Amino acid sequence: MNKDVIPSVKNSLISERFQYSNIEKILNEDIQEVEVETTAVSDEVEEDIDFSNLKFNWSITAEQVYALKDRVIEYIKTIDNQVLATPDEECSFDTTVGLYGKMDNEIQVALRNIDFLQDVSPIKEIRDASTESSQEFDEFNLERWKNKKIFEKIEKARENHANGLFLPLKHEEDKKLLEDYYEAYRKSGLDLPEEDIKKLKEYQKKLNDATTEYNRALVEDTTTHIFTKSELEGVSEDFLEGCEKTVKDGEEAYVILMDYPSRDAIYEYAIKEETRKTMMEVYTKRFASNVDQLKEATNLRLKIANLFGYPTHSSYVLKDKMAQNQTNVLEFLEDLKVKLQPLAKKEIQTLLDLKKNITTELNQPYDGVLNKWDYSYYSRILLEKEYSINQEEIQEYFPIDEVTKEMFALYEEILSIKCIEVEDKNVWHPDVRHIDVYDKETNNYIGVIYLDLYPRDGKYNHYASFSLVCGYEKEDGSRVHSIGAMVCNFTKPTPSKPSLLIHDEVVTYFHELGHLIHQLLSETKWAEYNGLNVEQDFVEAPSQMLENWCWEPEILKRLSHHYKDVSKRLPDDLIERLIKTKTYHSGISNLYQILYGFIDMSIHSIKTINEIDDYNKLWDDLQREIVTIENVKDSYPLGNFNHLVGGYDAGYYGYLWSQSYSADMYFSEFK
Ligand SMILES: [Zn+2]
């Protein structure tokens, strides 16, 4: 993926119908004691679990993950049986969907304790247990949604309320929950003929397998590449200090990982073109088999859409979205493309001129092409030359701890909240930080934000916000609070320097925090409707709106503290120059976003199986046409595009789509 990909929200609603539960106080088990089996969840796994009072246990063992999954499944079965045993005349909201809503609220902790670890646990055995258990759970759950008898009870409840056997529902969310459950059961294929239901089950299981394998490959990848010190000419010493040292061809060398900070360090700073090219080849030629998994997934999605009478997966998905249909999405993307291409053409020409000058100066041959591995490098140099922007200089003003402090302080002021960091040993890795959020005026507790900021082996390799608990109202009227986790891959601190953020990363940080604050502040009766569970082509808008603050002089002043002397703020002239770069290369970077939108729409709008034979060629062709920069030969960007298996299928355009709303909100509210 291009580095400009806007970080995603990982929305837990998408792959499952179940929701997430309560945590008021977190237990303080020691993360180091992973082998110790006597922990909160394990005790309860042996006994009866009170799901409504379950606390997270991040030092859970692999065995306990499997056991917990079994217990959740058992629990759900008892609720199903309770619903099924209800006589028709007693079917109401409270005895059917209300029970499910409550169950969905309460099993959140157990489910996230099972499935979140595949993305964050430092222990492979636990990641595997997490992947397998959530896959198994999903299969069990899919099966439930095909249970005609449950559907009939819900239908009855609906009828009984409509014909006066029970009072009409008063609460808007109850009404919506009843309708949504009814619709979800209908959509899960219960109206289909027996034969088709069988097919549907088979397709959904295969789809689940394909997407799980895709994600597993991403998380488990351990590719590295060894570059000699001379190959790495230009790359910062600070960065290299954090890399493992080795020897290659008798020369001092470094082991380079494939995480974002390493990739960018090479792409932007390696003087030797061959080094940048090699890095990009190693980086983009991974995950060939993931492209096959994705192709399989798109074929299966088509088959499922067909069963429901839709000609394509995109038409099936888009009918409930703001964009409504594929034509609207394609017109939107095409229109943007046409507007941006002339701008991008100029940007590319400027970079080419620069490349020509620099290669001539160095007495190197000039090939007259802006290669993909040239873009970040010359773009960085141009920023330094044209705008006198030196990222390394700016970085010194954004040590991550200071930025974190200021960012929270800013949110505290704007939203009248109070954020307090507390020590918490019950986390999945010692790096993870725990922040409690309160209402400033009432002192009421609002929820928890976890920050998991640095890359490590086996960790989710993009930037995302995860909802661990979606807040809800208990029967006694008290609230269960939301818990969210930010999972990022910022540069790790080294012994001599803290983690320093470039401005782009500050924006990303602000964006992700925006998602979590959005989640925490939302107050709904049911977890189902909490926080980030809004329309997908709108969910990015609040965070995108908040990004604008990172381009305001007074905010930049506040966020910045020089790491050697925290009283030193970003100087005015530097702020001025930085702000001028707000639209720097927005032609090219937005064309990449448009490319991703088109690719997603293309592979999810196929009308026949394997209609697009070669997905890699499709990418190459579209990139050439839209961005006008050649893709790396024989590379597999679609193998590392987890949005397309993580719920953004036929939905990637949503990033650009919601940007138009966010611009609107920002300029009408704050300007
Ligand atoms: Zn986002």
Side-chain angles (χ1 to χ4, degrees):
M1 285 272 60
N2 179 279
K3 77 185 178 101
D4 301 305
V5 167
I6 303 166
S8 82
V9 181
K10 178 127 175 186
N11 189 338
S12 316
L13 256 183
I14 291 155
S15 58
E16 56 179 68
R17 292 292 314 164
F18 282 88
Q19 295 305 301
Y20 344 109
S21 181
N22 159 41
I23 177 167
E24 258 127 358
K25 284 223 171 49
I26 295 176
L27 296 176
N28 282 332
E29 271 92 30
D30 194 336
I31 185 83
Q32 312 303 339
E33 295 172 22
V34 277
E35 293 90 33
V36 179
E37 295 213 351
T38 49
T39 55
V41 165
S42 77
D43 285 348
E44 299 191 58
V45 164
E46 307 308 321
E47 323 266 318
D48 261 355
I49 299 183
D50 174 5
F51 283 98
S52 68
N53 280 312
L54 194 67
K55 314 282 184 260
F56 281 117
N57 171 15
W58 299 119
S59 44
I60 192 168
T61 64
E63 219 169 78
Q64 289 164 358
V65 170
Y66 291 114
L68 186 59
K69 176 256 311 164
D70 291 339
R71 300 307 291 269
V72 183
I73 289 179
E74 266 171 48
Y75 176 63
I76 293 172
K77 283 181 181 166
T78 62
I79 305 288
D80 280 346
N81 289 335
Q82 200 180 329
V83 171
L84 289 168
T86 309
D88 283 358
E89 66 279 9
E90 287 173 27
C91 285
S92 67
F93 175 81
D94 288 340
T95 59
T96 59
V97 171
L99 282 182
Y100 285 132
K102 185 168 174 290
M103 175 186 88
D104 291 351
N105 286 344
E106 292 177 352
I107 60 175
Q108 295 183 87
V109 167
L111 288 181
R112 297 294 87 73
N113 218 146
I114 294 165
D115 66 23
F116 181 51
L117 289 168
Q118 62 190 300
D119 287 308
V120 295
S121 174
I123 302 161
K124 177 159 169 37
E125 190 195 359
I126 291 177
R127 290 197 299 274
D128 287 346
S130 169
T131 304
E132 274 173 42
S133 298
S134 39
Q135 200 172 2
E136 241 178 83
F137 177 83
D138 289 347
E139 277 164 29
F140 158 77
N141 199 28
L142 273 173
E143 197 68 23
R144 286 183 64 238
W145 284 90
K146 311 265 176 315
N147 189 329
K148 223 167 193 154
K149 295 204 170 96
I150 297 180
F151 179 53
E152 283 162 9
K153 294 293 175 191
I154 292 172
E155 249 182 328
K156 263 284 164 258
R158 219 165 147 258
E159 255 174 59
N160 290 346
H161 280 285
N163 63 25
L165 194 57
F166 289 96
L167 290 173
L169 295 171
K170 284 204 194 86
H171 201 295
E172 284 305 320
E173 281 188 43
D174 292 350
K175 285 186 213 167
K176 184 163 164 53
L177 197 66
L178 182 57
E179 284 314 300
D180 285 353
Y181 258 79
Y182 176 74
E183 275 304 313
Y185 265 99
R186 253 174 32 102
K187 278 187 209 153
S188 72
L190 285 169
D191 291 345
L192 299 175
E194 272 309 310
E195 187 58 21
D196 285 357
I197 293 183
K198 246 172 66 194
K199 281 188 202 158
L200 180 63
K201 281 182 188 171
E202 182 203 325
Y203 300 157
Q204 283 174 330
K205 180 177 177 333
K206 284 185 179 164
L207 179 60
N208 196 5
D209 291 346
T211 57
T212 304
E213 276 318 306
Y214 188 105
N215 281 322
R216 193 208 290 261
L218 292 185
V219 172
E220 295 304 329
D221 177 63
T222 53
T223 308
T224 56
H225 190 80
I226 295 171
F227 286 106
T228 62
K229 177 106 185 162
S230 59
E231 284 170 331
L232 291 168
E233 187 189 349
V235 178
S236 93
E237 287 298 328
D238 283 340
F239 167 76
L240 293 178
E241 196 190 323
C243 301
E244 190 192 325
K245 277 192 182 176
T246 181
V247 176
K248 188 171 123 184
D249 307 330
E251 201 192 325
E252 194 183 342
Y254 294 90
V255 180
I256 304 297
L257 306 175
M258 295 295 131
D259 56 25
Y260 282 167
S262 310
R263 182 195 64 175
D264 295 346
I266 310 275
Y267 285 1
E268 290 173 21
Y269 290 95
I271 291 174
K272 297 198 163 105
E273 181 172 343
E274 199 52 36
T275 303
R276 282 180 269 122
K277 186 180 175 198
T278 304
M279 181 69 186
M280 191 170 272
E281 283 176 346
V282 176
Y283 190 88
T284 57
K285 290 185 177 187
R286 299 175 297 162
F287 311 122
S289 66
N290 266 2
V291 182
D292 300 331
Q293 300 285 7
L294 180 64
K295 193 171 179 188
E296 166 82 354
T298 52
N299 281 335
L300 289 162
R301 284 169 178 153
L302 167 66
K303 287 181 181 175
I304 292 170
N306 285 166
L307 285 179
F308 288 103
Y310 291 88
T312 62
H313 177 66
S314 65
S315 54
Y316 182 43
V317 169
L318 290 169
K319 67 184 192 319
D320 298 326
K321 298 283 163 66
M322 289 170 97
Q324 289 176 337
N325 58 49
Q326 191 209 359
T327 314
N328 287 342
V329 173
L330 292 180
E331 275 174 9
F332 168 74
L333 292 174
E334 182 66 29
D335 182 49
L336 274 181
K337 182 190 97 178
V338 171
K339 282 181 184 149
L340 287 166
Q341 272 182 335
L343 176 63
K345 199 176 164 195
K346 276 190 209 148
E347 292 167 358
I348 290 174
Q349 191 52 52
T350 313
L351 290 172
L352 265 178
D353 294 344
L354 180 67
K355 179 176 173 178
K356 190 175 180 185
N357 289 342
I358 290 180
T359 46
T360 315
E361 258 171 49
L362 293 171
N363 254 333
Q364 286 170 350
Y366 168 66
D367 60 4
V369 182
L370 187 73
N371 299 302
K372 208 175 172 191
W373 50 86
D374 289 329
Y375 173 69
S376 299
Y377 179 69
Y378 290 107
S379 183
R380 189 262 309 163
I381 295 178
L382 190 68
L383 261 184
E384 289 174 4
K385 284 195 158 178
E386 289 273 299
Y387 297 86
S388 313
I389 288 293
N390 179 339
Q391 294 290 5
E392 287 179 342
E393 182 191 353
I394 294 177
Q395 247 181 334
E396 300 194 336
Y397 288 91
F398 293 116
I400 202 164
D401 287 349
E402 296 298 327
V403 173
T404 305
K405 225 188 288 168
E406 291 292 352
M407 221 176 253
F408 275 96
L410 202 61
Y411 275 107
E412 284 182 332
E413 268 171 44
I414 301 166
L415 300 166
S416 191
I417 53 176
K418 210 165 59 188
C419 303
I420 299 172
E421 177 157 11
V422 293
E423 201 181 320
D424 181 0
K425 287 184 177 163
N426 180 32
V427 284
W428 50 93
H429 187 273
D431 282 352
V432 177
R433 299 167 63 175
H434 172 142
I435 287 120
D436 280 328
V437 182
Y438 299 85
D439 184 309
K440 200 185 278 172
E441 267 133 53
T442 62
N443 258 333
N444 285 340
Y445 190 54
I446 293 177
V448 182
I449 290 176
Y450 288 112
L451 304 176
D452 183 353
L453 301 174
Y454 310 116
R456 61 177 174 265
D457 277 355
K459 181 177 150 177
Y460 179 77
N461 63 358
H462 298 270
Y463 295 80
S465 305
F466 290 71
S467 302
L468 298 181
V469 170
C470 295
Y472 61 90
E473 194 181 294
K474 288 205 278 197
E475 277 163 308
D476 64 7
S478 65
R479 287 203 66 79
V480 166
H481 307 288
S482 287
I483 301 177
M486 193 195 295
V487 180
C488 296
N489 287 279
F490 296 119
T491 310
K492 264 189 178 167
T494 65
S496 60
K497 255 190 197 171
S499 169
L500 300 174
L501 304 180
I502 60 167
H503 181 258
D504 263 5
E505 291 173 320
V506 174
V507 176
T508 298
Y509 199 175
F510 219 77
H511 175 107
E512 291 303 330
L513 192 55
H515 281 312
L516 294 179
I517 300 272
H518 171 194
Q519 187 208 337
L520 258 64
L521 291 181
S522 107
E523 274 199 11
T524 56
K525 177 173 178 183
W526 301 105
E528 172 83 32
Y529 302 124
N530 200 257
L532 305 178
N533 300 333
V534 295
E535 288 305 334
Q536 195 183 43
D537 43 10
F538 181 77
V539 70
E540 292 297 332
S543 275
Q544 287 169 341
M545 178 192 79
L546 293 164
E547 284 179 18
N548 285 295
W549 272 307
C550 300
W551 295 99
E552 297 287 346
E554 61 277 24
I555 303 283
L556 285 168
K557 259 290 191 253
R558 276 192 62 167
L559 291 175
S560 58
H561 291 273
H562 198 279
Y563 81 102
K564 283 184 181 154
D565 173 3
V566 291
S567 68
K568 260 176 76 187
R569 306 297 180 108
L570 208 57
D572 289 334
D573 65 312
L574 196 49
I575 289 183
E576 207 177 296
R577 279 180 274 137
L578 181 63
I579 289 174
K580 279 196 191 136
T581 67
K582 187 173 181 184
T583 53
Y584 180 69
H585 286 177
S586 57
I588 298 174
S589 60
N590 279 309
L591 282 179
Y592 270 111
Q593 293 298 317
I594 291 167
L595 167 70
Y596 306 150
F598 267 114
I599 298 251
D600 169 34
M601 234 357 105
S602 308
I603 61 177
H604 287 116
S605 298
I606 50 170
K607 291 197 179 73
T608 53
I609 302 298
N610 294 333
E611 182 184 321
I612 298 172
D613 176 49
D614 187 343
Y615 279 19
N616 300 312
K617 184 174 181 304
L618 172 80
W619 184 294
D620 294 348
D621 291 348
L622 281 176
Q623 181 169 327
R624 189 176 305 120
E625 191 234 308
I626 295 168
V627 192
T628 69
I629 294 176
E630 278 292 316
N631 190 24
V632 178
K633 204 165 171 287
D634 300 323
S635 64
Y636 309 104
L638 271 171
N640 189 13
F641 194 172
N642 63 339
H643 291 80
L644 301 187
V645 298
Y648 276 75
D649 43 292
Y652 196 86
Y653 75 95
Y655 280 113
L656 288 164
W657 186 274
S658 59
Q659 224 155 30
S660 51
Y661 289 98
S662 72
D664 241 30
M665 292 193 293
Y666 184 68
F667 289 104
S668 57
E669 287 298 314
F670 300 101
K671 284 274 122 176

